[in-house]
Amino acid sequence: MKYYGVATNQTGTSTIIFNLSDNRLSAENEAKTHCKKNGLTFQYLLPENNTKKGGATLTKYAKARKLNASKKR
């Protein structure tokens, strides 16, 4: 899963950091080093939405729904 980071500069303007690693920990470390080099303040890290697995909601969460329904009986 790919990640992107969000950082702010001295005036409070947000900046997006692209092309980070697939691993969350290494992606966060890369984003923090990028911020240090460019004088930014690291805010947070998010996964890219284009790599999420899709599917209809009825099929995506069917297993969890069935499990919860069986617990209520």
Side-chain angles (χ1 to χ4, degrees):
M1 182 180 297
K2 289 278 195 180
Y3 292 94
Y4 69 94
V6 178
T8 56
N9 59 10
Q10 299 294 333
T11 60
T13 307
S14 295
T15 306
I16 298 175
I17 306 165
F18 290 108
N19 299 329
L20 298 175
S21 291
D22 293 341
N23 185 0
R24 184 174 176 84
L25 182 62
S26 59
E28 188 169 340
N29 289 336
E30 288 176 15
K32 286 181 180 179
T33 55
H34 176 80
C35 290
K36 284 182 184 178
K37 287 180 184 177
N38 297 320
L40 301 171
T41 305
F42 177 74
Q43 295 297 318
Y44 52 90
L45 196 69
L46 292 172
E48 290 184 3
N49 289 334
N50 61 356
T51 58
K52 284 186 181 176
K53 293 195 175 189
T57 1
L58 290 175
T59 58
K60 199 178 348 181
Y61 303 112
K63 189 175 182 180
R65 257 196 332 274
K66 289 176 186 174
L67 184 65
N68 285 338
S70 66
K71 286 181 181 177
K72 291 179 182 177
R73 292 181 192 166

